[in-house]
Amino acid sequence: MSRWSRKKTPLPLLGVVLSVFLVASILYNESYRQIQVQKEAVALENRFPTSVPNDYSVPHRKKRDLGRLDWSTACISTRNYTLHGSRIHLPSEPNQERIQQNCDWFSGKWVFDNTSYPLYNESDCPYMSDQLACRKHGRPDSMYQSWRWQPHDCNLKRWNATEMLEKLRGKRLMFVGDSLDRGQWISMVCLLQSVVPAGKKSMSPNAALTIFRAEEYNATVEFYWAPLLVRSNSDDPINHRLDKRIIAPELIDDHASEWAKADILIFNTYLWWRQGNIKVVWSTDEDGICEELDGVTAMNFALQAWADWVASSVNPHEKKVFFVTMSPTHLWSREWEPGTEGNCFQEKTPIDMESYWGSGSDLATMLMTDNVLRRLGLKVAVVNVTQLSEYRKDGHPSIYRKFWETFSPEQLANPASYSDCIHWCLPGVPDAWNELIFNFL
C-alpha cells in the first residue's frame, strides 16, 4: 500500500483527487460492502475460541439447572455480553485436510436434459410433500425438473437407486436439520422408493424422527428435526413458528443420542439463524436471564457444540458425516435482472451468469462455517451446494404449493408477495444434492 506524500498537494490536483475518490466510492459501494462483510467474518473467526478465565465469576449469579429448563420463562430479560468460550475439544493445530475429489464437483453449470431427467415423477412418489409438489398445486411449466448438474472438468456418476440401496444395506442414513434438510430427505426417499417392492417399504408417522424403511435391504432413510442443531425452543416438529428463537448451546446430548445411532449423517443449518437476533441460555446465568446475540455469532456457538460432538464421538471409519452448505434464496429479482422488483415467481430458467452470488447466501456465515468445518478434517465431508443452487432461481415453489396460512385479497392480487422462494420443488434441485451424496459414498 502506497503512503501519503508529506509534500503539499496543489489545490487543483487535490480537487481532482477528491472528485475521483468520490466517484470511485459511489461506483464501488457494493464491493466495499462485500469487503466489510469479509472483514467482519475474519474478525468473527479470530474471536473463537475465547475461553473464560478460570477465576472468572459474576457476583450474585446462581448457576442455572438447564436440565429443568422451561422455555416459557427462560428469557424474561436479556444481557449483552460474550464471555462464554468455545468448548470444542480439537487439536491446537487445526487439521485442514479434506476429502479430495478428482475434480471440483461443485463448479459447473446446469444442462437441460429432458431425456434422463427427472429421475422420478412427482405423482409416482407416495411420500411427496404438499409443500414441494409444485405440479400438483398448479405449476404450469415443468422445465425445472429437467436440469442436470454438470461439473466443468468431469462427469458425476449417474444416479442408480439399486446401487444406492446396496450402499445403505444394513445401515441407517439420517438427515438432520430444518425443512430444507427435510426436503432433501424427501428427495432421497422419492429417488429410492420406486425400486423397493410394494409391501417391503414403509414410512413412520411424522414426528421429530421420521423413518422410511426398505425392508429387503434392512436400510432406513430418516429425518430428524433439529433446525438449530442444539436444544432450542423450536425443537417441536409441528409447533415451532415462534417470533423469538432461544437456544441452549450446552445442551446437545439429547439430540446427539439419536445421531449416534445412525451410520451416515447429513447435517444442514442456516436459514433459521437469519430471522433476527437469537437468545442464548447459559448455565452460568441466573434463571430468566439470557444473552442476546446476532444470528452469525449464535450459530457459531451452536456449530462449536456440534463440532465438539463430532470431534469426540465420530470415528470416520465407522460413521460417515456430511455437512450440506447453505441453501440460497431468490427473494430479489433485481439481483439477477437489474431494474425489476420481483422474486422467483414465474422464473422458468436458471441464472446463466458464471459465479452468480445473491444476498440469499451470506458470506460471513459461510466463512465462519468453513472455519469450524476445517478443524474437523476428514471427520466431515462438506457438500457445497450453495453456488450450484444459486443459479436455480426457477427451482422454488413460489405460489405452487400448499400453504397453511390464509392470504389477504391484496396478497392474492400480488402473487410475488407470498411466493415461497426458499424451499425447492421436487423433482428438482435437492435431487442434485443427493446425487453428490451418492458420488461421495
mmCIF file of all heavy atoms in Angstrom, residues 52 56-66 79 81 83-84 250 281-287 289 291:
data_model
loop_
_atom_site.group_PDB
_atom_site.id
_atom_site.type_symbol
_atom_site.label_atom_id
_atom_site.label_comp_id
_atom_site.label_asym_id
_atom_site.label_seq_id
_atom_site.Cartn_x
_atom_site.Cartn_y
_atom_site.Cartn_z
ATOM 1 N N VAL A 52 -13.239 -18.684 28.896
ATOM 2 C CA VAL A 52 -13.447 -17.868 30.084
ATOM 3 C C VAL A 52 -12.319 -18.126 31.077
ATOM 4 O O VAL A 52 -11.943 -19.269 31.313
ATOM 5 C CB VAL A 52 -14.801 -18.234 30.728
ATOM 6 C CG1 VAL A 52 -15.030 -17.425 31.979
ATOM 7 C CG2 VAL A 52 -15.932 -18.005 29.734
ATOM 8 N N TYR A 56 -12.885 -16.426 36.605
ATOM 9 C CA TYR A 56 -13.990 -15.542 36.244
ATOM 10 C C TYR A 56 -15.232 -15.901 37.052
ATOM 11 O O TYR A 56 -15.594 -17.052 37.194
ATOM 12 C CB TYR A 56 -14.307 -15.657 34.750
ATOM 13 C CG TYR A 56 -15.562 -14.925 34.365
ATOM 14 C CD1 TYR A 56 -15.562 -13.538 34.248
ATOM 15 C CD2 TYR A 56 -16.740 -15.623 34.137
ATOM 16 C CE1 TYR A 56 -16.719 -12.857 33.906
ATOM 17 C CE2 TYR A 56 -17.902 -14.948 33.794
ATOM 18 C CZ TYR A 56 -17.879 -13.561 33.670
ATOM 19 O OH TYR A 56 -19.017 -12.902 33.329
ATOM 20 N N SER A 57 -15.892 -14.893 37.590
ATOM 21 C CA SER A 57 -17.143 -15.122 38.300
ATOM 22 C C SER A 57 -17.987 -13.864 38.222
ATOM 23 O O SER A 57 -17.477 -12.765 38.074
ATOM 24 C CB SER A 57 -16.900 -15.482 39.769
ATOM 25 O OG SER A 57 -16.265 -14.411 40.439
ATOM 26 N N VAL A 58 -19.289 -14.043 38.291
ATOM 27 C CA VAL A 58 -20.214 -12.916 38.264
ATOM 28 C C VAL A 58 -20.886 -12.830 39.622
ATOM 29 O O VAL A 58 -21.490 -13.798 40.081
ATOM 30 C CB VAL A 58 -21.268 -13.091 37.152
ATOM 31 C CG1 VAL A 58 -22.249 -11.930 37.159
ATOM 32 C CG2 VAL A 58 -20.577 -13.188 35.783
ATOM 33 N N PRO A 59 -20.810 -11.703 40.284
ATOM 34 C CA PRO A 59 -21.417 -11.578 41.618
ATOM 35 C C PRO A 59 -22.916 -11.848 41.588
ATOM 36 O O PRO A 59 -23.604 -11.476 40.643
ATOM 37 C CB PRO A 59 -21.121 -10.112 41.980
ATOM 38 C CG PRO A 59 -19.982 -9.711 41.103
ATOM 39 C CD PRO A 59 -20.142 -10.478 39.849
ATOM 40 N N HIS A 60 -23.409 -12.493 42.612
ATOM 41 C CA HIS A 60 -24.833 -12.734 42.803
ATOM 42 C C HIS A 60 -25.451 -13.554 41.674
ATOM 43 O O HIS A 60 -26.616 -13.395 41.358
ATOM 44 C CB HIS A 60 -25.585 -11.403 42.931
ATOM 45 C CG HIS A 60 -24.971 -10.459 43.903
ATOM 46 N ND1 HIS A 60 -24.832 -10.763 45.242
ATOM 47 C CD2 HIS A 60 -24.431 -9.230 43.736
ATOM 48 C CE1 HIS A 60 -24.242 -9.747 45.864
ATOM 49 N NE2 HIS A 60 -23.998 -8.815 44.965
ATOM 50 N N ARG A 61 -24.669 -14.413 41.054
ATOM 51 C CA ARG A 61 -25.210 -15.214 39.966
ATOM 52 C C ARG A 61 -25.281 -16.679 40.400
ATOM 53 O O ARG A 61 -24.281 -17.280 40.758
ATOM 54 C CB ARG A 61 -24.343 -15.084 38.709
ATOM 55 C CG ARG A 61 -24.906 -15.870 37.524
ATOM 56 C CD ARG A 61 -24.142 -15.576 36.260
ATOM 57 N NE ARG A 61 -24.293 -14.179 35.884
ATOM 58 C CZ ARG A 61 -23.699 -13.630 34.830
ATOM 59 N NH1 ARG A 61 -22.913 -14.377 34.091
ATOM 60 N NH2 ARG A 61 -23.877 -12.375 34.547
ATOM 61 N N LYS A 62 -26.465 -17.218 40.391
ATOM 62 C CA LYS A 62 -26.682 -18.613 40.763
ATOM 63 C C LYS A 62 -26.717 -19.480 39.510
ATOM 64 O O LYS A 62 -27.404 -19.153 38.544
ATOM 65 C CB LYS A 62 -28.000 -18.744 41.537
ATOM 66 C CG LYS A 62 -28.310 -20.159 41.995
ATOM 67 C CD LYS A 62 -29.637 -20.194 42.739
ATOM 68 C CE LYS A 62 -29.967 -21.619 43.170
ATOM 69 N NZ LYS A 62 -31.287 -21.651 43.869
ATOM 70 N N LYS A 63 -25.995 -20.573 39.527
ATOM 71 C CA LYS A 63 -25.935 -21.433 38.358
ATOM 72 C C LYS A 63 -27.305 -22.017 38.049
ATOM 73 O O LYS A 63 -28.015 -22.490 38.917
ATOM 74 C CB LYS A 63 -24.919 -22.561 38.582
ATOM 75 C CG LYS A 63 -24.671 -23.398 37.339
ATOM 76 C CD LYS A 63 -23.529 -24.372 37.539
ATOM 77 C CE LYS A 63 -23.257 -25.155 36.272
ATOM 78 N NZ LYS A 63 -22.141 -26.097 36.423
ATOM 79 N N ARG A 64 -27.656 -21.957 36.791
ATOM 80 C CA ARG A 64 -28.964 -22.426 36.341
ATOM 81 C C ARG A 64 -28.937 -23.920 36.075
ATOM 82 O O ARG A 64 -27.968 -24.451 35.552
ATOM 83 C CB ARG A 64 -29.351 -21.676 35.065
ATOM 84 C CG ARG A 64 -30.649 -22.124 34.435
ATOM 85 C CD ARG A 64 -30.932 -21.383 33.154
ATOM 86 N NE ARG A 64 -31.126 -19.964 33.386
ATOM 87 C CZ ARG A 64 -31.519 -19.105 32.442
ATOM 88 N NH1 ARG A 64 -31.756 -19.544 31.222
ATOM 89 N NH2 ARG A 64 -31.666 -17.832 32.715
ATOM 90 N N ASP A 65 -30.030 -24.592 36.419
ATOM 91 C CA ASP A 65 -30.171 -26.018 36.137
ATOM 92 C C ASP A 65 -30.835 -26.164 34.774
ATOM 93 O O ASP A 65 -32.054 -26.075 34.651
ATOM 94 C CB ASP A 65 -31.008 -26.703 37.214
ATOM 95 C CG ASP A 65 -31.140 -28.205 36.978
ATOM 96 O OD1 ASP A 65 -30.527 -28.719 36.016
ATOM 97 O OD2 ASP A 65 -31.862 -28.863 37.752
ATOM 98 N N LEU A 66 -30.024 -26.380 33.723
ATOM 99 C CA LEU A 66 -30.573 -26.462 32.376
ATOM 100 C C LEU A 66 -31.384 -27.730 32.154
ATOM 101 O O LEU A 66 -32.196 -27.795 31.234
ATOM 102 C CB LEU A 66 -29.443 -26.384 31.343
ATOM 103 C CG LEU A 66 -28.665 -25.065 31.287
ATOM 104 C CD1 LEU A 66 -27.641 -25.104 30.173
ATOM 105 C CD2 LEU A 66 -29.604 -23.881 31.119
ATOM 106 N N ARG A 79 -29.162 -9.897 28.569
ATOM 107 C CA ARG A 79 -27.953 -9.115 28.769
ATOM 108 C C ARG A 79 -27.106 -9.222 27.515
ATOM 109 O O ARG A 79 -27.148 -10.234 26.820
ATOM 110 C CB ARG A 79 -27.146 -9.653 29.962
ATOM 111 C CG ARG A 79 -27.814 -9.438 31.312
ATOM 112 C CD ARG A 79 -27.006 -10.105 32.401
ATOM 113 N NE ARG A 79 -27.590 -9.869 33.719
ATOM 114 C CZ ARG A 79 -27.228 -10.521 34.814
ATOM 115 N NH1 ARG A 79 -26.295 -11.451 34.751
ATOM 116 N NH2 ARG A 79 -27.798 -10.251 35.976
ATOM 117 N N TYR A 81 -23.522 -9.574 26.490
ATOM 118 C CA TYR A 81 -22.125 -9.840 26.810
ATOM 119 C C TYR A 81 -21.734 -11.143 26.136
ATOM 120 O O TYR A 81 -22.561 -11.983 25.836
ATOM 121 C CB TYR A 81 -21.871 -9.934 28.317
ATOM 122 C CG TYR A 81 -22.797 -10.886 29.045
ATOM 123 C CD1 TYR A 81 -22.551 -12.261 29.056
ATOM 124 C CD2 TYR A 81 -23.914 -10.417 29.732
ATOM 125 C CE1 TYR A 81 -23.400 -13.138 29.716
ATOM 126 C CE2 TYR A 81 -24.768 -11.281 30.393
ATOM 127 C CZ TYR A 81 -24.501 -12.644 30.385
ATOM 128 O OH TYR A 81 -25.342 -13.497 31.038
ATOM 129 N N LEU A 83 -18.866 -13.596 27.065
ATOM 130 C CA LEU A 83 -17.737 -14.087 27.835
ATOM 131 C C LEU A 83 -17.671 -15.609 27.816
ATOM 132 O O LEU A 83 -16.749 -16.197 28.354
ATOM 133 C CB LEU A 83 -17.840 -13.593 29.286
ATOM 134 C CG LEU A 83 -17.647 -12.085 29.469
ATOM 135 C CD1 LEU A 83 -18.023 -11.689 30.880
ATOM 136 C CD2 LEU A 83 -16.210 -11.704 29.168
ATOM 137 N N HIS A 84 -18.661 -16.221 27.189
ATOM 138 C CA HIS A 84 -18.685 -17.677 27.146
ATOM 139 C C HIS A 84 -17.765 -18.164 26.030
ATOM 140 O O HIS A 84 -17.856 -17.704 24.911
ATOM 141 C CB HIS A 84 -20.109 -18.172 26.919
ATOM 142 C CG HIS A 84 -21.048 -17.675 27.961
ATOM 143 N ND1 HIS A 84 -21.739 -16.486 27.819
ATOM 144 C CD2 HIS A 84 -21.388 -18.177 29.170
ATOM 145 C CE1 HIS A 84 -22.481 -16.289 28.893
ATOM 146 N NE2 HIS A 84 -22.293 -17.284 29.723
ATOM 147 N N GLU A 250 -25.209 -25.488 25.371
ATOM 148 C CA GLU A 250 -24.602 -26.517 26.223
ATOM 149 C C GLU A 250 -25.414 -27.811 26.228
ATOM 150 O O GLU A 250 -24.960 -28.822 26.760
ATOM 151 C CB GLU A 250 -24.482 -25.982 27.649
ATOM 152 C CG GLU A 250 -23.536 -24.795 27.774
ATOM 153 C CD GLU A 250 -23.678 -24.109 29.126
ATOM 154 O OE1 GLU A 250 -24.596 -23.277 29.284
ATOM 155 O OE2 GLU A 250 -22.862 -24.409 30.009
ATOM 156 N N VAL A 281 -29.305 -19.287 26.215
ATOM 157 C CA VAL A 281 -29.386 -19.650 27.626
ATOM 158 C C VAL A 281 -28.092 -20.339 28.026
ATOM 159 O O VAL A 281 -27.663 -21.297 27.373
ATOM 160 C CB VAL A 281 -30.574 -20.597 27.883
ATOM 161 C CG1 VAL A 281 -30.640 -20.982 29.356
ATOM 162 C CG2 VAL A 281 -31.875 -19.958 27.440
ATOM 163 N N TRP A 282 -27.485 -19.864 29.107
ATOM 164 C CA TRP A 282 -26.253 -20.474 29.619
ATOM 165 C C TRP A 282 -26.478 -20.944 31.055
ATOM 166 O O TRP A 282 -27.231 -20.321 31.815
ATOM 167 C CB TRP A 282 -25.096 -19.475 29.597
ATOM 168 C CG TRP A 282 -24.743 -18.938 28.252
ATOM 169 C CD1 TRP A 282 -25.069 -17.722 27.746
ATOM 170 C CD2 TRP A 282 -23.988 -19.606 27.240
ATOM 171 N NE1 TRP A 282 -24.567 -17.573 26.481
ATOM 172 C CE2 TRP A 282 -23.893 -18.716 26.135
ATOM 173 C CE3 TRP A 282 -23.379 -20.861 27.144
ATOM 174 C CZ2 TRP A 282 -23.222 -19.040 24.963
ATOM 175 C CZ3 TRP A 282 -22.715 -21.191 25.979
ATOM 176 C CH2 TRP A 282 -22.634 -20.293 24.904
ATOM 177 N N SER A 283 -25.773 -21.982 31.432
ATOM 178 C CA SER A 283 -25.904 -22.499 32.798
ATOM 179 C C SER A 283 -25.333 -21.533 33.822
ATOM 180 O O SER A 283 -25.682 -21.592 35.005
ATOM 181 C CB SER A 283 -25.197 -23.856 32.910
ATOM 182 O OG SER A 283 -23.805 -23.723 32.647
ATOM 183 N N THR A 284 -24.464 -20.617 33.392
ATOM 184 C CA THR A 284 -23.850 -19.668 34.320
ATOM 185 C C THR A 284 -24.716 -18.435 34.567
ATOM 186 O O THR A 284 -24.349 -17.560 35.354
ATOM 187 C CB THR A 284 -22.487 -19.213 33.780
ATOM 188 O OG1 THR A 284 -22.644 -18.758 32.431
ATOM 189 C CG2 THR A 284 -21.479 -20.344 33.825
ATOM 190 N N ASP A 285 -25.851 -18.365 33.878
ATOM 191 C CA ASP A 285 -26.744 -17.219 34.059
ATOM 192 C C ASP A 285 -27.822 -17.519 35.092
ATOM 193 O O ASP A 285 -28.194 -18.672 35.307
ATOM 194 C CB ASP A 285 -27.424 -16.859 32.731
ATOM 195 C CG ASP A 285 -26.456 -16.246 31.742
ATOM 196 O OD1 ASP A 285 -25.432 -15.710 32.190
ATOM 197 O OD2 ASP A 285 -26.727 -16.311 30.537
ATOM 198 N N GLU A 286 -28.325 -16.453 35.677
ATOM 199 C CA GLU A 286 -29.445 -16.602 36.607
ATOM 200 C C GLU A 286 -30.695 -17.042 35.853
ATOM 201 O O GLU A 286 -30.823 -16.810 34.647
ATOM 202 C CB GLU A 286 -29.734 -15.267 37.297
ATOM 203 C CG GLU A 286 -28.578 -14.714 38.107
ATOM 204 C CD GLU A 286 -28.895 -13.321 38.609
ATOM 205 O OE1 GLU A 286 -29.863 -13.186 39.382
ATOM 206 O OE2 GLU A 286 -28.188 -12.383 38.225
ATOM 207 N N ASP A 287 -31.620 -17.659 36.557
ATOM 208 C CA ASP A 287 -32.882 -18.043 35.945
ATOM 209 C C ASP A 287 -33.568 -16.814 35.354
ATOM 210 O O ASP A 287 -33.615 -15.749 35.974
ATOM 211 C CB ASP A 287 -33.813 -18.691 36.976
ATOM 212 C CG ASP A 287 -33.364 -20.093 37.353
ATOM 213 O OD1 ASP A 287 -32.574 -20.675 36.579
ATOM 214 O OD2 ASP A 287 -33.790 -20.599 38.405
ATOM 215 N N ILE A 289 -32.648 -15.087 32.764
ATOM 216 C CA ILE A 289 -31.761 -14.154 32.070
ATOM 217 C C ILE A 289 -31.042 -14.873 30.932
ATOM 218 O O ILE A 289 -30.540 -15.984 31.093
ATOM 219 C CB ILE A 289 -30.735 -13.533 33.039
ATOM 220 C CG1 ILE A 289 -31.459 -12.733 34.111
ATOM 221 C CG2 ILE A 289 -29.747 -12.648 32.288
ATOM 222 C CD1 ILE A 289 -30.551 -12.115 35.143
ATOM 223 N N GLU A 291 -28.579 -14.269 27.101
ATOM 224 C CA GLU A 291 -27.714 -13.410 26.301
ATOM 225 C C GLU A 291 -28.347 -13.289 24.926
ATOM 226 O O GLU A 291 -28.832 -14.276 24.381
ATOM 227 C CB GLU A 291 -26.324 -14.028 26.194
ATOM 228 C CG GLU A 291 -25.328 -13.201 25.398
ATOM 229 C CD GLU A 291 -23.931 -13.828 25.409
ATOM 230 O OE1 GLU A 291 -23.808 -14.982 25.857
ATOM 231 O OE2 GLU A 291 -22.994 -13.164 24.962
#
